[in-house]
Structures are given as C-alpha cells and as structure tokens.
Amino acid sequence: MKAAEAFSAPLRQPLPPGVGKDFAGVVNCTMYSGALLLLAFAGLASGYINSDYASRRRCWSRGNNQPARWWNEGERIDRGKYWYECQNGELAPRGCFSNTNERLFVGGKFVQDGYETQCVLGSDGYLKFEFTGCQSSDGKTHSVGETWEDERRMYWFVCRQDGPYVKIDIGGCLTHDKSRRLNLGDSYDLGDYTYKCMKKYNGTIQMCSVGCIHQGVHYSVGQQWPDGDFLYYCKLNGGRCQKACVGCMHEGRQLYDGDRYHKDATVYQCEIRPDRYGHKPVGCVARDEDGRVVDKVIGCRWYSYSKNAKVEQTCELKDNKAVVKTVGCIYRHQGYDTLFLYPGTYTIWNQKLDGTALGVTCQSSADGQPSLDTFEMSELPYKTRGLKYDQPRG
C-alpha cells in the first residue's frame, strides 16, 4: 500500500458508533486549516529571506552631492572626480570625470593644458589619473618618448616622463637645410661659419653662430688670423659671426688702423673702416737737410737747401703710390732767392755785377735727387744736353 493510501485509508472506514458525518467534516476542516497555516508560514519566511538579501546588497555611502545614505543595487554614485556603481553591497569603481566634467569610463582619456590624462584603476583598486602623453601645437597627441617638430621646422620636441607627470622638452634644433636634427649643445659647419644649438639664459633655444672657418681652420669668436696682406678677426655682429678685417700685414708684421710703414719710397698706412680696408699711400719718404729719413704727407711742399740753391719739392699720388715731385729750382745769390727754373730746363743769367753771363740748370743728379747747378758759357754745349731752355724768372 502507498503512503498516501495508508494515510487516507482509515478515513474510508465506517465511522465509530455514535459518530456522525459532522465529525468527519470537522476532521477534514482541521486538516485544511493546517495546510493553510503551513503555506502562510512558508510565505512569510520567504519574504523575510528576500528582504534580507536585498538589504544586504545595498551600499552605504555619500555621493551625488548628498550625505551618506543607502543606495540600491545598480545605482550610480558620483564622488568628486570619480564615479561608482553599487554592486553586491560595495562601491564598484567605474570611471572618472574630465576637466570639463565629461563622464569617462576606466581607460578613458582627455587633454588638459597640453597634456593627455587617462583614468585608470590602480593595482590597489583605487581610481586615479595618470599623465600619458603630450599635445603639440597642431593638436596631435604624442606618447612618452615620441618626438615631433614645430610648424616652421626650426626645433624638435620630445614628450618625457617626469616622475608621475609628463613634460614637453625641447630636444634641439634642425639644421638650416632641415636635413637633420641637432641635440642641445651640438654644432655643425655651414659655409664659412660654425653654428651651435644653444639654450639661452632666458630659456629660449636658438641656433647660434659660434665660430668662423677659414681655409678649413676653425676659429672661435675673438680669434684672429692673417691672410695675404690683411689680418682678419672672427666677431659677433648682431648675434651672428662675421669675418672682419681688423688689420694689415707687412713683411710678417701685424699692423692696425693708423699704423704706417715704408715701401718703395712711399709711406703706406693701414686703413680699416666699416665699409672698406686697405694699404693706403699717405706720404713720401724724403730726407731732411741732415740726411735723415722723414715722412712727407701727400700735398705737402718743402725745400732742400744747398750752398747757392734750394729745390722746391712736393709729394703727389700717382698709380696708387706716393712720389716726390720737383716743383722747381731756385738760384740764390748772396742769400737771396734770385731766379726760378722748372725741372729739366736751363737759363742764362746776365745780371751779375761783373757783366759776365752765368748758366743755371735744374735737373736730377745721379742719385735721383734734383739739384741746381751753374756753369760758365764755355760749358754750355755739354752742360745743357737734354735740357730745355727757359726764360729766367725772378
């Protein structure tokens, strides 16, 4: 017999004497009520369990500009620069807010003040920001270690890690032909000059002229060198190097502006001007009455004296040389200037007190110096050879 049949079998038996149908009804009613009570108890227990489970999944926290309270499962809680979700009774980190309050998930990025920032979940389980890149002037973002050039291609930059931050550093300069990059402090040659990529005192970076090159030899600013008839100097002019003539050379000797020397009976002066330079003839080499060498400036006139004569001379410029030119000879009689002759001429003077005539010549002597000579009329044929007759002048 099955358990159900065994349980219900006695109810099918005839009722005991004295027991009517009402008793059976009471018995059936009592069994039904008990079943209802059992179901009600089970419902109450189930509701209690569900309510307890739901309460255990709620989160207690402040957020959304509200004081601490209970948050239901799945609700979103904003706290400062970060936001979370209530999940199984705990705040689960979900993301960050950008500088413009844009909601970002973990891994999201934004750019602020030229730097790229990323919302990350640290190994400790906390949300935080990490700097991950640099922004160039054209709006492109570069990761740590990447390099780029400015729009005019004069400098190049690098995005570097700086502790927990990143920074944009100037790596250096580009050569003038844009063919290669130079690091700060590097130099290279271009034409007659040396250039160096330098960081100046105010922090700016500039390609600076730092030296001159002459016939393959490098010279720093301030150094000088000879080349032919001149002396050159490497100088800075308006921030750029320039090869400038600062002097002259003569027989291995360095001369500067205003210094003089003698060459081929000419007095030369080293002349240095902003727009020109050269060896300028400024005078003649002459001798005074005592035979000493003297300088005579161009245009100057002077006299050379002898016993009965004096010679007027001047210094003139001819073919970029200064030469001594004889203006004329003056015959002196008894201490007085008596007559004047041009060079290369002769005359006959008839005013001597004894009535005899006297010949006078003005010509150059064997050493090239002009001289005045006198002669008797008997010497006229050979004393006047090659000379031109001239009327005597007082």
Side-chain angles (χ1 to χ4, degrees), residues 66 110 147 214 243 265 286 288 318 360 377:
Q66 299 178 23
F110 65 94
T147 62
H214 181 73
K243 290 193 291 186
D288 62 11
K318 183 180 180 179
V360 183
M377 290 296 97

Side-chain angles (χ1 to χ4, degrees), residues 276-287:
R276 69 182 188 276
Y277 54 88
H279 296 250
K280 182 180 180 181
V282 293
C284 301
V285 180
R287 293 185 180 274

Side-chain angles (χ1 to χ4, degrees), residues 39 57 79 106 131 206 211 234 248 250 284 296 361 380:
L39 290 174
R57 297 180 66 190
R79 298 181 60 177
V106 173
F131 292 95
Q206 187 173 352
C234 185
C248 307
H250 175 65
C284 301
K296 299 294 185 179
T361 65
L380 181 64

Side-chain angles (χ1 to χ4, degrees), residues 245-316:
C245 182
V246 293
C248 307
M249 298 296 298
H250 175 65
E251 296 179 349
R253 185 164 65 99
Q254 295 180 356
L255 304 173
Y256 297 94
D257 185 47
D259 291 345
R260 297 183 176 187
Y261 64 93
H262 294 172
K263 181 181 179 182
D264 300 331
T266 300
V267 180
Y268 289 95
Q269 177 175 292
C270 180
E271 183 181 65
I272 307 298
R273 298 290 183 270
D275 57 344
R276 69 182 188 276
Y277 54 88
H279 296 250
K280 182 180 180 181
V282 293
C284 301
V285 180
R287 293 185 180 274
D288 62 11
E289 296 179 7
D290 298 325
R292 294 174 299 188
V293 176
V294 293
D295 294 350
K296 299 294 185 179
V297 299
I298 293 175
C300 171
R301 291 195 176 198
W302 67 94
Y303 294 99
S304 297
Y305 291 88
S306 63
K307 181 179 179 181
N308 61 348
K310 66 179 183 181
V311 178
E312 183 179 359
Q313 295 178 300
T314 185
C315 182
E316 292 184 350

Side-chain angles (χ1 to χ4, degrees), residues 119-170:
C119 176
V120 298
L121 185 63
S123 58
D124 55 2
Y126 288 96
L127 290 168
K128 61 180 181 179
F129 292 101
E130 282 188 356
F131 292 95
T132 55
C134 309
Q135 187 181 54
S136 54
S137 59
D138 59 3
K140 294 182 180 178
T141 302
H142 304 269
S143 59
V144 174
E146 284 189 337
T147 62
W148 67 95
E149 299 168 3
D150 72 304
E151 295 176 353
R152 295 187 298 167
R153 299 196 67 204
M154 297 181 64
Y155 313 103
W156 63 276
F157 304 85
V158 60
C159 185
R160 299 188 190 278
Q161 192 72 45
D162 186 21
Y165 307 100
V166 293
K167 64 178 181 179
I168 299 174
D169 272 349
I170 296 183

Side-chain angles (χ1 to χ4, degrees), residues 64-80:
N64 297 357
N65 296 320
Q66 299 178 23
R69 67 178 181 83
W70 287 107
W71 302 86
N72 295 324
E73 172 78 8
E75 283 192 283
R76 190 171 62 198
I77 303 101
D78 300 339
R79 298 181 60 177

Side-chain angles (χ1 to χ4, degrees), residues 326-329 340-346 361-363 388 390 393:
T326 299
V327 178
C329 302
F340 175 86
L341 285 176
Y342 285 108
T345 65
Y346 75 95
T361 65
C362 180
Q363 59 184 333
K388 181 180 179 182
D390 192 12
R393 295 177 178 84

Side-chain angles (χ1 to χ4, degrees), residues 213-226:
I213 305 172
H214 181 73
Q215 295 181 354
V217 181
H218 290 74
Y219 297 92
S220 301
V221 174
Q223 287 186 307
Q224 58 187 30
W225 65 92

